[in-house]
Amino acid sequence: MSKKGKKAKMPLSDEEQLLLFQQKLLAEEEMAKKKERLLNQFLKDKLAKEEHNSALNLNKINTQWRTVLREVKTRELHKDIEILSQTFERVVDCKDSVIKSLVKDLSEAEEQYAHALRSHLHNIDRLLALQRRRLSLLEESYNVELEALTKEFETERKTIIDQHEKEIHYLQDVFMAMEQSCIDSEYESKLEFQSMWEDLKNKNLEEKHFLRLQLEHTVEDLWRRFQDALKNYTDATEDRKIAFETLKVKDEKSSKEIEAQMKKIQRLQDSIIILKGKIMVHGRESEEQNRDIREDKELVLVQLRKLKALRTQARGISQENLVKLTLESNATLKALRKIVDKGEKVLKLAEICRKFETEEEKVLPFYSSVLTPEEQEDIEKIDPEEFNEELGKVIMDYIGMENFWKRYNKVKLEQLSLQHRRAQLLEINEKLREMLKQYLDGISVSDEVLSQLSPRFIVNQSSNLPQPPSMPTAQPGDQKPPATYNIIEAAHVIAHIL
């Protein structure tokens, strides 16, 4: 036992104390890391539990709030349904009463219309009968005169046709006789020509010429006679035509006189009827007075019904107009509220944007134009008549928004330019990050860096980069290949030298 105590009380060397101290530090560090891990795990579990409880409580509150809102909404809907049912029953009663009154007025109006239609049809039948009798009389007189004229025309036509046929037969006989005489004379001349060819040649020619002249004179005489006969026929028929026209005029005059006489007869009949009516008036004065009173009463009742119908119609129209007016006013109020909200939103946005305006934009809010002079000339050359009326009206409606669109387009262009600049800067930033990463990888030593290729990592006077293949010997006249240099870190060289 004494030996063991002496051994335990033996002092430790410095190296052993250092190792013991390092072990204690490592144990404490491990305990601290373990505690930190346990604490992190506990906090994570607690956070997840709190999130779960909060979500569960929120769902419970939402469900209870929905039930309360449903109950309130059901009460409101029950009240609205009761009010609407009462109003609907009242409106239905009013409509039923109006329909009954209209049906009654309609039946009375149909009876009056049927009575007026029967009287009107009776009068029309009487007028049609009178007109038919008048037309039958006129048709009979016209048929008598037409038969007389047709008989006279047929007799004249027959006489003219007979005379024409006689003249045609006479002309045909004359033509045949002349043709026979010509044939005989030609035969005789041929015989004489055959017998006395040389002696009577000139004489035959003269005789032939004389015969041709004689025939022409006869043909001319016949043509003149034919023209005279045609003229006589036209003269004869002209008198008949004039007589026909005069008879036609007389017929028209007689028809007019008949109409005048019929009108006179009708006037006399009307005067007779009026006189008979005046005679009967004295005996029926009392009856007519009573009838007038009854008719006045009926007229007053009819006017009263009409006024009632007009009043109900006007009341319905006014009610419909009131409903339309209320609906349209509500719609306009909603639209105006939307426009006001939109305007307020635009004004708020304008006030917010006003803070971000530059001094130049505050002084000159509207730029003049971004077009070049050539583009401006091309726009001025465009004929305004090429645009149609609808497009012109739309352009005229939006002239007041020109300054707004200028500012909007300017902001849009600036936004696009800033987006483009941002993309460029992001690209530059990415390149700088890559360069910085390469630089940091080059100056640091870690497992990740050691696993990659690096020109700065050199072990035993050699780099881990792949060496280029050996170049062939240079031929005379060829260009020399570019020289390659190995770069060695100064710190590495000093470490090996020292």
Side-chain angles (χ1 to χ4, degrees), residues 127-360:
L127 291 171
L128 288 172
L130 289 171
Q131 186 66 20
R132 288 194 189 95
R133 286 198 295 273
R134 179 175 172 276
L135 287 173
S136 63
L137 292 172
L138 291 172
E139 188 176 2
E140 288 176 358
S141 62
Y142 174 77
N143 289 325
V144 170
E145 291 177 357
L146 183 63
E147 286 176 358
L149 290 171
T150 50
K151 287 178 181 179
E152 187 176 358
F153 179 77
E154 288 293 332
T155 53
E156 289 178 357
R157 184 171 177 275
K158 285 178 181 180
T159 54
I160 291 164
I161 289 168
D162 294 334
Q163 188 178 0
H164 180 64
E165 287 176 354
K166 287 177 181 179
E167 289 176 354
I168 287 169
H169 288 304
Y170 175 73
L171 291 172
Q172 287 177 356
D173 294 334
V174 171
F175 184 78
M176 291 294 291
M178 292 297 295
E179 189 176 3
Q180 189 65 35
S181 63
C182 289
I183 291 166
D184 294 336
S185 62
E186 187 178 2
Y187 180 72
E188 289 174 358
S189 63
K190 280 182 180 181
L191 291 174
E192 288 175 357
F193 176 79
Q194 289 176 1
S195 63
M196 301 172 69
W197 172 258
E198 292 178 354
D199 296 330
L200 300 173
K201 186 177 182 180
N202 295 322
K203 187 177 180 181
N204 288 328
L205 291 171
E206 289 176 358
E207 287 178 357
K208 190 176 181 181
H209 182 66
F210 175 76
L211 289 170
R212 188 183 291 113
L213 293 173
Q214 190 176 3
L215 287 170
E216 288 176 358
H217 286 300
T218 53
V219 169
E220 286 177 0
D221 292 331
L222 292 170
W223 179 254
R224 196 180 298 110
R225 288 173 64 188
F226 180 76
Q227 290 292 331
D228 292 333
L230 182 62
K231 188 176 181 182
N232 292 326
Y233 173 74
T234 53
D235 293 334
T237 54
E238 188 69 25
D239 295 332
R240 298 296 177 85
K241 283 182 181 179
I242 293 166
F244 178 77
E245 292 293 331
T246 54
L247 289 170
K248 189 177 180 181
V249 172
K250 287 180 181 180
D251 180 64
E252 290 176 356
K253 287 181 180 180
S254 62
S255 64
K256 288 179 181 178
E257 288 177 358
I258 289 164
E259 288 178 358
Q261 293 295 329
M262 289 294 291
K263 287 180 181 178
K264 286 181 182 180
I265 292 165
Q266 188 67 31
R267 289 196 204 98
L268 291 171
Q269 288 179 355
D270 293 334
S271 62
I272 290 165
I273 291 166
I274 290 164
L275 291 172
K276 287 181 179 179
K278 287 181 179 179
I279 291 166
M280 294 172 70
V281 163
H282 296 289
R284 297 178 182 176
E285 284 181 354
S286 59
E287 293 179 0
E288 287 181 357
Q289 287 177 358
N290 294 328
R291 196 184 305 118
D292 292 332
I293 291 165
R294 290 194 200 94
E295 288 175 357
D296 292 332
K297 184 180 178 181
E298 289 176 357
L299 289 171
V300 169
L301 290 172
V302 170
Q303 289 178 358
L304 181 62
R305 292 192 194 96
K306 288 181 180 179
L307 290 171
K308 284 182 179 179
L310 290 171
R311 186 186 66 184
T312 54
Q313 188 177 2
R315 187 180 293 169
I317 292 166
S318 62
Q319 191 172 2
E320 290 177 357
N321 291 328
L322 182 61
V323 172
K324 288 180 182 178
L325 183 62
T326 52
L327 293 173
E328 289 176 357
S329 64
N330 290 327
T332 51
L333 286 171
K334 288 179 182 178
L336 290 171
R337 285 196 198 96
K338 288 181 182 178
I339 292 166
V340 169
D341 294 336
K342 195 173 182 181
E344 289 177 354
K345 188 176 179 181
V346 170
L347 291 173
K348 288 178 182 178
L349 290 173
E351 289 177 359
I352 294 166
C353 294
R354 184 71 176 173
K355 296 176 183 179
F356 299 102
E357 287 181 354
T358 60
E359 295 295 332
E360 184 180 357

Side-chain angles (χ1 to χ4, degrees), residues 8 16 22 46 86 112 177 182 185 243 249 257-258 299 311 353 380 416 429 438 460 474-475 481-482 496:
E16 290 177 352
Q22 287 178 355
K46 189 175 181 180
Q86 292 175 2
Q112 292 175 3
C182 289
S185 62
V249 172
E257 288 177 358
I258 289 164
L299 289 171
R311 186 186 66 184
C353 294
E380 290 177 357
L416 293 172
N429 190 15
Q438 290 176 3
N460 295 325
Q475 297 293 330
H496 278 281

